[in-house]
Amino acid sequence: MSKALDHDPDHWPRRLVAVTPVLPMLPILIVCALVLVGLVDGSGVTWVPLLATAPALAATTGGPRGVLCVGLLSAVLGVSLGIRGDAADGVLAVALASLLVVTLACAATSALRGRRERVLAAVRSVAEAAQQALLQPIPATVGPFQVAVRYSAAAAEARIGGDLYALVSTPHGVRLIVGDVRGKGLPAVGTAALVLGVFREAAHDEPDLLDVVARIERSLARNLGTDDFVTAVVAGYPRDGQLEVVNCGHAPPLLVRDSVVVPVEPVRPAPPLGLRTLSGETPDLQVLPFADGDQLLLYTDGVTEARNHDREFYPLAEGLARHTGDEPVDTVTALHGELLAHVGGRLHDDAALLLLRMPARTEAPAPREPSGTVRVESCSP
């Protein structure tokens, strides 16, 4: 999918990258500045204890070897300052001993920090692999549709969350699901993986879309707790011109036809997946006409419940009307950028957008790279 738009949260990491090459030189500059001040005012050993700030700062940017080198430089120059200022041997020895202790402590701290960074990098690589397995990249075209996806985990370090989506081409037509697991963290990720696994299998096996939903429901009933559930919209395109939609307690998709945005409200509200046994209600199958140029946006509540500083929700329908075009990837990218601007750069919940477009028969869309997923730098946040 296309790159993330440039917003303040995206510029912030770039500023850090721009400053990073200067940071390793900062401890040396501090040492030189302190020595220069000491030489100018002639106070000598008075400035030696402050030289310990150099290895302390080096510990935040470099490894143990760099910290020891900065500490050695500070000690050598500290001795020079003490001799030049005719400092008493006892006073100079205490100052240098303090500098040595601080240097050794900072070197140990730097070693521990480096080890933790390596562990964190390994965890992030596992999260990346888990995301690719769970939220598999979606091509820019699936069956007759143009498709674009945008997904952002609220915690950028986690890379994945409780929102889910999938779109597959089956013998029964193109089928897709967008959902939101109750809760957060690893339990939500595990439930999302369960739903997606059952959906991908049932979508190929079951001719009836309601049977696909029923299989997901049975699997969740066996594996979820009494307070757990998943809101979801499951859709299918079994034949030309007809789109089937099953809404299980999820936010209504938005249908775009002739530049008019209309929410697809369920005819009869149905409970979320995992709660059917408690309510006894079953979802309805809605059949919508879906012609050339029509678009359908599915999303999670992390989008519509995003608030700005005035506690106002993001107006997704209005945003979709403003940004609708012939390229779904451009539309969702614009929506995502506007969403980030609305919340001030950081989302506090997982957010997913999936847009389908039926191109006109006369259109010949150029092939594009798989849309995949895009995460917001936490997130954004």
Side-chain angles (χ1 to χ4, degrees):
M1 194 172 172
S2 62
K3 297 183 293 183
L5 293 178
D6 288 335
H7 293 282
D8 288 342
D10 295 327
H11 288 320
W12 177 244
R14 294 192 185 102
R15 296 191 190 106
L16 288 180
V17 171
V19 172
T20 298
V22 181
L23 292 179
M25 297 299 299
L26 192 56
I28 298 177
L29 294 176
I30 290 176
V31 171
C32 294
L34 290 173
V35 171
L36 181 61
V37 172
L39 292 175
V40 169
D41 69 2
S43 56
V45 76
T46 304
W47 295 94
V48 174
L50 291 179
L51 292 175
T53 58
L57 182 59
T60 66
T61 60
R65 185 177 301 177
V67 174
L68 293 175
C69 289
V70 172
L72 177 61
L73 176 64
S74 300
V76 171
L77 294 178
V79 171
S80 301
L81 278 178
I83 294 175
R84 185 180 181 86
D86 296 327
D89 292 343
V91 175
L92 181 59
V94 170
L96 292 178
S98 300
L99 178 59
L100 176 62
V101 171
V102 171
T103 299
L104 293 176
C106 290
T109 301
S110 177
L112 291 175
R113 178 183 57 81
R115 180 179 179 182
R116 290 174 181 173
E117 286 179 350
R118 290 190 294 271
V119 172
L120 179 59
V123 171
R124 284 178 172 173
S125 67
V126 172
E128 288 282 2
Q131 183 193 43
Q132 292 298 319
L134 180 61
L135 301 177
Q136 298 174 359
I138 294 178
T141 56
V142 178
F145 297 111
Q146 294 173 282
V147 186
V149 177
R150 192 83 182 207
Y151 175 79
S152 300
E157 294 81 2
R159 306 296 176 103
I160 52 179
D163 287 2
L164 59 96
Y165 64 82
L167 190 149
V168 294
S169 182
T170 75
H172 315 294
V174 174
R175 286 176 168 176
L176 63 102
I177 183 173
V178 171
D180 188 356
V181 178
R182 177 188 178 275
K184 299 181 183 297
L186 290 178
V189 174
T191 302
L194 173 63
V195 172
L196 290 174
V198 176
F199 167 78
R200 290 182 178 124
E201 181 180 0
H204 284 83
D205 294 344
E206 303 292 348
D208 192 318
L209 193 64
L210 285 173
D211 291 336
V212 175
V213 176
R215 280 184 56 171
I216 300 174
E217 177 70 38
R218 290 195 298 270
S219 181
L220 290 178
R222 290 193 299 267
N223 293 280
L224 292 188
T226 55
D227 295 331
D228 297 325
F229 58 85
V230 180
T231 66
V233 171
V234 184
Y237 190 74
R239 60 190 64 86
D240 289 346
Q242 288 189 355
L243 188 69
E244 298 177 343
V245 177
V246 180
N247 192 326
C248 299
H250 199 73
L254 298 177
L255 176 66
V256 183
R257 178 173 297 151
D258 298 328
S259 300
V260 178
V261 179
V262 180
V264 182
E265 298 285 354
V267 176
R268 186 181 65 185
L273 295 169
L275 298 181
R276 185 183 299 184
T277 55
L278 299 179
S279 65
E281 299 178 3
T282 57
D284 282 337
L285 180 70
Q286 294 177 262
V287 180
L288 309 174
F290 205 71
D292 293 355
D294 288 353
Q295 303 188 51
L296 188 72
L297 177 69
L298 298 96
Y299 54 93
T300 58
D301 60 9
V303 178
T304 53
E305 294 182 1
R307 297 174 183 259
N308 61 13
H309 295 300
D310 296 326
R311 308 300 295 169
E312 297 172 336
F313 292 114
Y314 173 64
L316 178 59
E318 297 175 12
L320 180 58
R322 282 192 298 270
H323 299 298
T324 295
D326 293 339
E327 291 293 343
V329 66
D330 295 335
T331 300
V332 297
T333 298
L335 286 173
H336 187 265
E338 192 172 87
L339 175 64
L340 286 183
H342 179 79
V343 299
R346 178 179 176 84
L347 292 171
H348 297 282
D349 194 6
D350 304 326
L353 294 163
L354 190 154
L355 181 62
L356 294 178
R357 180 178 183 269
M358 177 64 73
R361 305 299 180 185
T362 56
E363 295 181 18
R368 307 185 73 157
E369 292 297 319
S371 59
T373 61
V374 177
R375 291 165 304 282
V376 178
E377 292 77 2
S378 190
C379 158
S380 350

Short mmCIF file of all heavy atoms in Angstrom, two decimals, residues 3-5 7-11 13 131 150-160 332-333 335-337 339-341 343-353 373-381:
data_model
loop_
_atom_site.label_atom_id
_atom_site.label_comp_id
_atom_site.label_asym_id
_atom_site.label_seq_id
_atom_site.Cartn_x
_atom_site.Cartn_y
_atom_site.Cartn_z
N LYS A 3 2.62 4.86 0.98
CA LYS A 3 3.28 5.28 2.20
C LYS A 3 2.36 6.11 3.07
O LYS A 3 1.43 6.73 2.61
CB LYS A 3 4.53 6.11 1.86
CG LYS A 3 5.57 5.34 1.08
CD LYS A 3 6.77 6.19 0.84
CE LYS A 3 6.47 7.33 -0.09
NZ LYS A 3 7.64 8.15 -0.41
N ALA A 4 2.70 6.16 4.36
CA ALA A 4 1.92 6.98 5.28
C ALA A 4 2.11 8.45 4.94
O ALA A 4 3.16 8.89 4.51
CB ALA A 4 2.35 6.71 6.73
N LEU A 5 1.06 9.23 5.16
CA LEU A 5 1.16 10.66 4.92
C LEU A 5 2.06 11.30 5.95
O LEU A 5 2.26 10.81 7.06
CB LEU A 5 -0.24 11.30 4.99
CG LEU A 5 -1.19 10.89 3.88
CD1 LEU A 5 -2.53 11.57 4.12
CD2 LEU A 5 -0.66 11.25 2.52
N HIS A 7 2.64 13.62 8.70
CA HIS A 7 2.00 14.39 9.75
C HIS A 7 3.02 14.58 10.87
O HIS A 7 4.09 14.00 10.87
CB HIS A 7 0.75 13.67 10.29
CG HIS A 7 -0.33 13.59 9.26
ND1 HIS A 7 -1.14 14.65 8.96
CD2 HIS A 7 -0.73 12.57 8.45
CE1 HIS A 7 -2.01 14.30 8.02
NE2 HIS A 7 -1.77 13.06 7.71
N ASP A 8 2.66 15.38 11.85
CA ASP A 8 3.59 15.68 12.92
C ASP A 8 4.19 14.45 13.57
O ASP A 8 5.38 14.40 13.82
CB ASP A 8 2.90 16.56 13.99
CG ASP A 8 2.69 17.97 13.47
OD1 ASP A 8 3.35 18.34 12.48
OD2 ASP A 8 1.86 18.67 14.06
N PRO A 9 3.37 13.40 13.89
CA PRO A 9 3.98 12.23 14.51
C PRO A 9 4.96 11.53 13.61
O PRO A 9 5.86 10.84 14.06
CB PRO A 9 2.78 11.33 14.84
CG PRO A 9 1.71 11.79 13.94
CD PRO A 9 1.93 13.25 13.75
N ASP A 10 4.80 11.68 12.28
CA ASP A 10 5.75 11.06 11.37
C ASP A 10 7.02 11.90 11.27
O ASP A 10 8.11 11.37 11.05
CB ASP A 10 5.12 10.92 9.98
CG ASP A 10 3.96 9.96 9.97
OD1 ASP A 10 4.03 9.00 10.75
OD2 ASP A 10 3.00 10.18 9.22
N HIS A 11 6.90 13.24 11.40
CA HIS A 11 8.07 14.09 11.33
C HIS A 11 8.95 13.92 12.56
O HIS A 11 10.16 14.04 12.48
CB HIS A 11 7.66 15.55 11.21
CG HIS A 11 7.10 15.89 9.88
ND1 HIS A 11 7.62 15.38 8.72
CD2 HIS A 11 6.06 16.71 9.52
CE1 HIS A 11 6.95 15.86 7.68
NE2 HIS A 11 5.99 16.65 8.14
N PRO A 13 9.91 11.26 14.44
CA PRO A 13 11.00 10.30 14.32
C PRO A 13 12.07 10.78 13.35
O PRO A 13 13.26 10.51 13.55
CB PRO A 13 10.30 9.03 13.81
CG PRO A 13 8.90 9.17 14.25
CD PRO A 13 8.61 10.64 14.15
N GLN A 131 2.20 -10.52 12.50
CA GLN A 131 1.26 -9.68 11.76
C GLN A 131 1.08 -10.18 10.33
O GLN A 131 -0.02 -10.20 9.80
CB GLN A 131 1.75 -8.23 11.75
CG GLN A 131 0.75 -7.31 11.05
CD GLN A 131 1.33 -5.96 10.75
OE1 GLN A 131 2.46 -5.87 10.30
NE2 GLN A 131 0.56 -4.94 10.99
N ARG A 150 -6.03 -0.08 5.20
CA ARG A 150 -5.16 0.70 6.09
C ARG A 150 -5.41 0.21 7.51
O ARG A 150 -6.55 0.22 7.99
CB ARG A 150 -5.51 2.18 5.98
CG ARG A 150 -4.49 3.09 6.63
CD ARG A 150 -3.34 3.36 5.69
NE ARG A 150 -2.32 4.19 6.31
CZ ARG A 150 -1.50 4.98 5.63
NH1 ARG A 150 -1.60 5.05 4.33
NH2 ARG A 150 -0.59 5.69 6.26
N TYR A 151 -4.37 -0.21 8.19
CA TYR A 151 -4.51 -0.70 9.56
C TYR A 151 -3.46 -0.04 10.44
O TYR A 151 -2.30 0.07 10.07
CB TYR A 151 -4.32 -2.23 9.60
CG TYR A 151 -4.34 -2.78 11.01
CD1 TYR A 151 -5.53 -2.98 11.69
CD2 TYR A 151 -3.16 -3.08 11.67
CE1 TYR A 151 -5.54 -3.47 12.98
CE2 TYR A 151 -3.16 -3.58 12.95
CZ TYR A 151 -4.36 -3.76 13.61
OH TYR A 151 -4.36 -4.23 14.89
N SER A 152 -3.89 0.38 11.62
CA SER A 152 -2.99 1.01 12.58
C SER A 152 -3.24 0.42 13.95
O SER A 152 -4.37 0.45 14.44
CB SER A 152 -3.21 2.53 12.64
OG SER A 152 -2.97 3.11 11.38
N ALA A 153 -2.19 -0.13 14.55
CA ALA A 153 -2.29 -0.57 15.95
C ALA A 153 -2.03 0.63 16.85
O ALA A 153 -1.14 1.44 16.60
CB ALA A 153 -1.28 -1.67 16.23
N ALA A 154 -2.82 0.74 17.91
CA ALA A 154 -2.67 1.87 18.82
C ALA A 154 -1.28 1.87 19.46
O ALA A 154 -0.70 2.92 19.67
CB ALA A 154 -3.74 1.82 19.90
N ALA A 155 -0.74 0.69 19.76
CA ALA A 155 0.61 0.58 20.30
C ALA A 155 1.54 0.17 19.19
O ALA A 155 1.51 -0.96 18.72
CB ALA A 155 0.65 -0.45 21.44
N ALA A 156 2.36 1.11 18.73
CA ALA A 156 3.24 0.80 17.61
C ALA A 156 4.22 -0.30 17.94
O ALA A 156 4.66 -1.05 17.09
CB ALA A 156 4.00 2.06 17.19
N GLU A 157 4.62 -0.42 19.25
CA GLU A 157 5.55 -1.47 19.61
C GLU A 157 4.94 -2.85 19.44
O GLU A 157 5.61 -3.83 19.19
CB GLU A 157 5.98 -1.30 21.07
CG GLU A 157 6.81 -0.03 21.33
CD GLU A 157 5.93 1.20 21.48
OE1 GLU A 157 4.69 1.05 21.43
OE2 GLU A 157 6.48 2.30 21.64
N ALA A 158 3.61 -2.93 19.58
CA ALA A 158 2.95 -4.22 19.48
C ALA A 158 2.75 -4.63 18.03
O ALA A 158 2.72 -5.80 17.70
CB ALA A 158 1.60 -4.17 20.19
N ARG A 159 2.57 -3.66 17.13
CA ARG A 159 2.39 -3.87 15.71
C ARG A 159 1.06 -4.52 15.35
O ARG A 159 0.62 -4.39 14.23
CB ARG A 159 3.54 -4.74 15.13
CG ARG A 159 4.92 -4.20 15.42
CD ARG A 159 5.11 -2.87 14.74
NE ARG A 159 6.41 -2.28 15.08
CZ ARG A 159 7.46 -2.28 14.27
NH1 ARG A 159 7.37 -2.81 13.08
NH2 ARG A 159 8.59 -1.73 14.65
N ILE A 160 0.45 -5.26 16.23
CA ILE A 160 -0.83 -5.89 15.95
C ILE A 160 -1.75 -5.66 17.13
O ILE A 160 -1.31 -5.38 18.24
CB ILE A 160 -0.68 -7.41 15.68
CG1 ILE A 160 0.10 -8.09 16.81
CG2 ILE A 160 -0.04 -7.67 14.35
CD1 ILE A 160 0.26 -9.56 16.63
N VAL A 332 -8.30 5.80 1.04
CA VAL A 332 -8.03 5.39 2.42
C VAL A 332 -6.81 6.10 2.99
O VAL A 332 -6.73 6.38 4.19
CB VAL A 332 -7.89 3.86 2.54
CG1 VAL A 332 -9.17 3.15 2.16
CG2 VAL A 332 -6.73 3.34 1.72
N THR A 333 -5.85 6.41 2.14
CA THR A 333 -4.68 7.15 2.61
C THR A 333 -5.09 8.55 3.06
O THR A 333 -4.65 9.05 4.10
CB THR A 333 -3.62 7.24 1.51
OG1 THR A 333 -3.18 5.93 1.18
CG2 THR A 333 -2.41 8.05 1.98
N LEU A 335 -8.13 9.44 4.05
CA LEU A 335 -8.93 9.29 5.27
C LEU A 335 -8.04 9.08 6.49
O LEU A 335 -8.27 9.65 7.56
CB LEU A 335 -9.90 8.11 5.12
CG LEU A 335 -11.11 8.32 4.21
CD1 LEU A 335 -11.86 7.00 4.05
CD2 LEU A 335 -12.03 9.38 4.79
N HIS A 336 -7.04 8.24 6.33
CA HIS A 336 -6.15 7.96 7.45
C HIS A 336 -5.39 9.21 7.87
O HIS A 336 -5.23 9.49 9.07
CB HIS A 336 -5.18 6.85 7.05
CG HIS A 336 -4.34 6.36 8.18
ND1 HIS A 336 -3.08 6.86 8.43
CD2 HIS A 336 -4.58 5.44 9.14
CE1 HIS A 336 -2.57 6.25 9.48
NE2 HIS A 336 -3.46 5.39 9.94
N GLY A 337 -4.91 9.97 6.91
CA GLY A 337 -4.22 11.20 7.24
C GLY A 337 -5.12 12.20 7.93
O GLY A 337 -4.73 12.86 8.89
N LEU A 339 -7.75 11.44 9.69
CA LEU A 339 -8.03 10.89 11.01
C LEU A 339 -6.92 11.25 11.99
O LEU A 339 -7.18 11.66 13.13
CB LEU A 339 -8.19 9.37 10.91
CG LEU A 339 -8.39 8.61 12.21
CD1 LEU A 339 -9.70 9.01 12.88
CD2 LEU A 339 -8.36 7.10 11.96
N LEU A 340 -5.68 11.10 11.57
CA LEU A 340 -4.56 11.46 12.44
C LEU A 340 -4.57 12.95 12.77
O LEU A 340 -4.31 13.34 13.91
CB LEU A 340 -3.23 11.10 11.77
CG LEU A 340 -2.86 9.62 11.72
CD1 LEU A 340 -1.49 9.46 11.09
CD2 LEU A 340 -2.88 9.00 13.11
N ALA A 341 -4.87 13.77 11.76
CA ALA A 341 -4.94 15.21 12.02
C ALA A 341 -6.06 15.53 13.00
O ALA A 341 -5.93 16.42 13.85
CB ALA A 341 -5.14 15.96 10.71
N VAL A 343 -7.19 13.70 15.52
CA VAL A 343 -6.87 13.33 16.90
C VAL A 343 -5.57 13.96 17.38
O VAL A 343 -5.15 13.73 18.51
CB VAL A 343 -6.79 11.79 17.05
CG1 VAL A 343 -8.11 11.16 16.70
CG2 VAL A 343 -5.67 11.21 16.19
N GLY A 344 -4.92 14.73 16.53
CA GLY A 344 -3.67 15.36 16.94
C GLY A 344 -2.46 14.48 16.81
O GLY A 344 -1.44 14.72 17.46
N GLY A 345 -2.56 13.43 15.99
CA GLY A 345 -1.39 12.63 15.68
C GLY A 345 -1.29 11.29 16.38
O GLY A 345 -0.43 10.49 16.03
N ARG A 346 -2.13 11.02 17.36
CA ARG A 346 -2.01 9.75 18.08
C ARG A 346 -3.38 9.12 18.29
O ARG A 346 -4.26 9.71 18.90
CB ARG A 346 -1.35 9.97 19.45
CG ARG A 346 -1.23 8.69 20.26
CD ARG A 346 -0.56 8.92 21.61
NE ARG A 346 -0.53 7.70 22.41
CZ ARG A 346 0.38 6.75 22.30
NH1 ARG A 346 1.33 6.88 21.42
NH2 ARG A 346 0.35 5.68 23.06
N LEU A 347 -3.53 7.91 17.76
CA LEU A 347 -4.75 7.14 17.99
C LEU A 347 -4.63 6.39 19.31
O LEU A 347 -3.55 5.94 19.69
CB LEU A 347 -4.97 6.15 16.85
CG LEU A 347 -5.32 6.74 15.48
CD1 LEU A 347 -5.29 5.67 14.42
CD2 LEU A 347 -6.67 7.41 15.51
N HIS A 348 -5.76 6.23 19.98
CA HIS A 348 -5.77 5.53 21.26
C HIS A 348 -6.50 4.18 21.17
O HIS A 348 -6.78 3.56 22.19
CB HIS A 348 -6.41 6.41 22.33
CG HIS A 348 -5.64 7.67 22.58
ND1 HIS A 348 -4.48 7.70 23.34
CD2 HIS A 348 -5.84 8.94 22.15
CE1 HIS A 348 -4.01 8.93 23.38
NE2 HIS A 348 -4.81 9.70 22.67
N ASP A 349 -6.81 3.77 19.96
CA ASP A 349 -7.43 2.46 19.75
C ASP A 349 -6.99 1.98 18.38
O ASP A 349 -6.64 2.76 17.50
CB ASP A 349 -8.96 2.57 19.82
CG ASP A 349 -9.62 1.20 19.95
OD1 ASP A 349 -8.89 0.19 20.09
OD2 ASP A 349 -10.86 1.13 19.91
N ASP A 350 -7.00 0.65 18.21
CA ASP A 350 -6.70 0.09 16.89
C ASP A 350 -7.72 0.60 15.88
O ASP A 350 -8.89 0.80 16.21
CB ASP A 350 -6.72 -1.43 16.93
CG ASP A 350 -5.77 -1.99 17.99
OD1 ASP A 350 -4.71 -1.37 18.20
OD2 ASP A 350 -6.09 -3.03 18.60
N ALA A 351 -7.29 0.79 14.65
CA ALA A 351 -8.17 1.31 13.62
C ALA A 351 -7.88 0.62 12.30
O ALA A 351 -6.73 0.43 11.93
CB ALA A 351 -7.99 2.82 13.47
N ALA A 352 -8.95 0.20 11.63
CA ALA A 352 -8.81 -0.47 10.34
C ALA A 352 -9.80 0.12 9.34
O ALA A 352 -10.95 0.43 9.68
CB ALA A 352 -9.05 -1.98 10.49
N LEU A 353 -9.35 0.26 8.11
CA LEU A 353 -10.17 0.72 7.00
C LEU A 353 -9.97 -0.25 5.83
O LEU A 353 -8.83 -0.57 5.48
CB LEU A 353 -9.77 2.13 6.55
CG LEU A 353 -9.99 3.29 7.52
CD1 LEU A 353 -9.16 4.49 7.09
CD2 LEU A 353 -11.46 3.66 7.56
N THR A 373 -0.37 -3.76 5.00
CA THR A 373 -0.83 -2.97 6.14
C THR A 373 0.16 -1.86 6.41
O THR A 373 1.35 -1.96 6.09
CB THR A 373 -0.96 -3.84 7.40
OG1 THR A 373 0.32 -4.38 7.70
CG2 THR A 373 -1.94 -4.97 7.20
N VAL A 374 -0.33 -0.81 6.99
CA VAL A 374 0.54 0.30 7.37
C VAL A 374 0.27 0.63 8.82
O VAL A 374 -0.86 0.76 9.23
CB VAL A 374 0.27 1.55 6.50
CG1 VAL A 374 1.13 2.71 6.96
CG2 VAL A 374 0.55 1.25 5.03
N ARG A 375 1.33 0.78 9.64
CA ARG A 375 1.14 1.11 11.04
C ARG A 375 1.53 2.54 11.26
O ARG A 375 2.50 3.03 10.69
CB ARG A 375 2.01 0.21 11.94
CG ARG A 375 1.55 -1.22 11.95
CD ARG A 375 2.62 -2.09 12.53
NE ARG A 375 3.87 -1.95 11.84
CZ ARG A 375 4.11 -2.53 10.67
NH1 ARG A 375 3.20 -3.26 10.09
NH2 ARG A 375 5.27 -2.37 10.09
N VAL A 376 0.81 3.17 12.13
CA VAL A 376 1.15 4.54 12.48
C VAL A 376 2.16 4.51 13.61
O VAL A 376 2.04 3.74 14.55
CB VAL A 376 -0.10 5.31 12.93
CG1 VAL A 376 0.28 6.72 13.32
CG2 VAL A 376 -1.11 5.34 11.80
N GLU A 377 3.15 5.37 13.52
CA GLU A 377 4.12 5.41 14.59
C GLU A 377 3.44 5.90 15.83
O GLU A 377 3.12 7.05 15.97
CB GLU A 377 5.29 6.34 14.23
CG GLU A 377 6.14 5.80 13.12
CD GLU A 377 5.51 5.97 11.77
OE1 GLU A 377 4.42 6.54 11.70
OE2 GLU A 377 6.12 5.52 10.79
N SER A 378 3.15 5.03 16.60
CA SER A 378 2.30 5.23 17.75
C SER A 378 2.31 6.62 18.25
O SER A 378 3.18 7.13 18.85
CB SER A 378 2.67 4.43 18.91
OG SER A 378 1.69 4.50 19.89
N CYS A 379 0.69 5.08 17.51
CA CYS A 379 -0.03 5.48 16.50
C CYS A 379 -0.12 6.54 17.13
O CYS A 379 -0.67 6.29 18.25
CB CYS A 379 -1.13 4.93 15.96
SG CYS A 379 -2.52 5.16 15.03
N SER A 380 0.44 6.06 17.47
CA SER A 380 0.26 6.52 16.32
C SER A 380 1.08 6.79 16.50
O SER A 380 1.33 6.13 16.49
CB SER A 380 -0.70 6.94 15.63
OG SER A 380 -1.81 6.67 16.23
N PRO A 381 0.42 6.59 17.52
CA PRO A 381 0.31 6.67 17.82
C PRO A 381 0.62 6.05 17.81
O PRO A 381 0.24 5.40 17.94
CB PRO A 381 -0.50 6.62 18.25
CG PRO A 381 -1.19 6.08 18.88
CD PRO A 381 -0.61 6.12 18.31
#
